[in-house]
Amino acid sequence: MLRILRHGAPGFEAGGLSPDWRVPADAVWIELVDPTRAEEVAVEQSIGLLLPTREEMAEIEASSRLYQEDGGTFMTATVLVNADGDLPTAAPVTFVLAGARLVTIRYVEPRAFSVFAAQAERQPSLCPNGLQTFLGLLDAIVDRTADILERTAAEVEVQSRAIFGRPRGAAFEQILNRLGRAQNINSKARDSLVSLARLLSFAALAEQFDGLKDLRDHLKSLQRDVQSITDHSSYLAGNITFLLDAALGLINIEQNSIFKVFSVFSVVFLPPTLIAGIYGMNFEHMPELRWLEGYPLAIGLMILAAGAPLVVFKRKGWL
């Protein structure tokens, strides 16, 4: 899908694919969402730049993600997607600064893009040119990532109280699943923040920002925001790791307690079993075979043999 936001226009319009189609002169933002090859070619011919393919966007080398070519600045960042769903992922999004225009290429639907696009449709003044639109999009992405990490931190706090305030014997499966999901989201958010930090450092050197002090100050503010959120993500990762270790430690303690009970009962009933085994033999010449007091004496010995270990274990604090 090819969408174009024009300067001062109230909303997006679809781009045409006729052979003589060109980007409107007042176009500010050209958005390629899961584009076809024909749409890519139409934009390339119109702006005079070769756009990266989906495979090139997925490469992890910095030289493949951040470069300048033929007067255009190409920047690819990893963006967190579907954080509210069952399968949060991180996908590449490419920003191309071509003169005063911004071209974005993406094959996913980040929430930040839809939120910023809705704001741009209501307030066209937010996007007077491609550079301002680029910074506005980055603001939206950083804000969205911060919101996701805030919710993740709140969920981790809930699970922390559940771990240390749970009744004895309660299941840990749901807690571990939620902590695992929080760790998954946090790790993908951190990957996104690292890529955004690289992108902002590279954008600060782009020729499009030469002489524009206000925009450079905006870039520096974004860099500080990304750094602070990255630090928070690192703290959150350590907290999640601690809670996972604590949960596994409590599981081991409870399992050891169960096995301890089994071990104690095994030791307690071993001597009575020995006595019962001896007097349960049916040899013809047994001295106590016809002894009238034999049965109550055997029962008494078994009770004494079972009680003595219990008293010893209790005094030693093993029970």
Side-chain angles (χ1 to χ4, degrees), residues 226-288:
V226 168
Q227 182 60 49
S228 63
I229 300 172
T230 302
D231 293 340
H232 179 71
S233 175
S234 300
Y235 161 77
L236 187 58
N239 195 19
I240 293 173
T241 301
F242 164 74
L243 291 177
L244 286 171
D245 291 341
L248 294 177
L250 290 173
I251 291 173
N252 289 332
I253 290 173
E254 291 188 0
Q255 289 179 342
N256 290 337
S257 298
I258 294 172
F259 286 120
K260 182 176 70 173
V261 171
F262 286 137
S263 300
V264 168
F265 276 102
S266 298
V267 173
V268 165
F269 288 106
L270 185 60
T273 303
L274 175 62
I275 295 172
I278 293 174
Y279 288 105
M281 294 185 293
N282 294 320
F283 294 111
E284 182 176 356
H285 300 288
M286 289 186 65
E288 300 90 350

Side-chain angles (χ1 to χ4, degrees), residues 77-84 88-91 93 95 110-113 115-116 136-154 182-197 200 222 224-234 236:
T78 301
V79 179
L80 183 59
V81 183
N82 197 31
D84 299 327
T89 58
V93 175
F95 304 87
R111 180 73 178 275
F113 274 74
V115 170
F116 182 76
L137 270 173
L138 291 180
D139 267 328
I141 293 172
V142 173
D143 289 344
R144 171 65 177 166
T145 305
D147 291 342
I148 291 170
L149 287 178
E150 287 174 3
R151 291 202 304 270
T152 303
Q183 176 63 20
N184 185 27
I185 292 175
N186 184 63
S187 64
K188 287 180 170 54
R190 183 174 175 80
D191 289 342
S192 176
L193 291 168
V194 170
S195 70
L196 286 171
L200 289 168
L222 281 169
R224 290 193 294 269
D225 289 343
V226 168
Q227 182 60 49
S228 63
I229 300 172
T230 302
D231 293 340
H232 179 71
S233 175
S234 300
L236 187 58

Side-chain angles (χ1 to χ4, degrees), residues 105-163:
I105 310 168
R106 56 189 174 91
Y107 296 87
V108 291
E109 292 289 343
R111 180 73 178 275
F113 274 74
S114 59
V115 170
F116 182 76
Q119 293 176 345
E121 290 184 1
R122 293 192 303 268
Q123 300 176 346
S125 59
L126 292 176
C127 304
N129 54 58
L131 297 180
Q132 293 278 24
T133 304
F134 170 65
L135 294 178
L137 270 173
L138 291 180
D139 267 328
I141 293 172
V142 173
D143 289 344
R144 171 65 177 166
T145 305
D147 291 342
I148 291 170
L149 287 178
E150 287 174 3
R151 291 202 304 270
T152 303
E155 175 65 19
V156 170
E157 180 62 25
V158 170
Q159 300 312 313
S160 176
R161 292 195 295 268
I163 289 173

Side-chain angles (χ1 to χ4, degrees), residues 186-214:
N186 184 63
S187 64
K188 287 180 170 54
R190 183 174 175 80
D191 289 342
S192 176
L193 291 168
V194 170
S195 70
L196 286 171
R198 293 174 179 170
L199 182 148
L200 289 168
S201 297
F202 184 81
L205 304 176
E207 60 184 17
Q208 283 84 354
F209 290 97
D210 288 344
L212 302 175
K213 184 177 184 303
D214 291 343

